[in-house]
Amino acid sequence: MSTSTSLVASRAATWAVAARILVPAIWLGMIIGISFIEAPLKFTAPGITIPLGLGIGRLVFTAMNAVEILLFVCWLAGSFKRHMDRAWWWIVGIVGFLLLLKATVIRPGLSVRTDAVLAGNSDGGSLWHYAYIGVEGVLTLTLVIALVFACKRWVSISPR
């Protein structure tokens, strides 16, 4: 193998490790910032009505979902660079399943609910919100586990 080929392979491996660490960290930051902080506080801001808050929320969570899908694809690509053990693939699979559940089942259910509220056909609370909160909680925990696992495996701290 030539030096330039070796250098390219080394850089690819470095980027793969970076993806396995940085993607869960960035994703966690998004969930904490948007789902756990912005969304609940939005409705307590002065002048924010339920329809306005729901409209903002729909835009924010649609954008967040698109970014989550992009992050997952990057994370998945970084996971293929070296042979990963079964535990890692379980973590990736769980995160992928939760993302798929959010994007294809829960978010459409929330959209129907939001449409009903905006049309004035609200009948009280919604189980879709509890499902979203539950999946977001499990996703958060799984991403923390992934981040810890990745750091323990690929970050070495040498003593001084």
Side-chain angles (χ1 to χ4, degrees), residues 41-65:
L41 289 177
K42 169 178 47 212
F43 291 99
T44 65
I48 296 293
T49 62
I50 296 293
L52 185 57
L54 290 175
I56 293 168
R58 180 178 277 179
L59 287 172
V60 169
F61 281 98
T62 297
M64 181 175 163
N65 202 211

Side-chain angles (χ1 to χ4, degrees), residues 39-119:
L41 289 177
K42 169 178 47 212
F43 291 99
T44 65
I48 296 293
T49 62
I50 296 293
L52 185 57
L54 290 175
I56 293 168
R58 180 178 277 179
L59 287 172
V60 169
F61 281 98
T62 297
M64 181 175 163
N65 202 211
V67 172
E68 285 179 308
I69 291 167
L70 178 64
L71 286 172
F72 182 75
V73 169
C74 292
W75 197 42
L76 192 59
S79 294
F80 282 114
K81 280 295 175 188
R82 294 216 175 173
H83 297 291
M84 305 304 299
D85 59 16
R86 190 173 293 183
W88 181 258
W89 286 114
W90 269 102
I91 293 168
V92 171
I94 291 168
V95 169
F97 172 75
L98 293 169
L99 180 59
L100 185 66
L101 185 63
K102 269 184 15 175
T104 63
V105 177
I106 297 172
R107 289 241 20 262
L110 282 170
S111 289
V112 169
R113 172 77 180 134
T114 300
D115 290 340
V117 170
L118 293 174

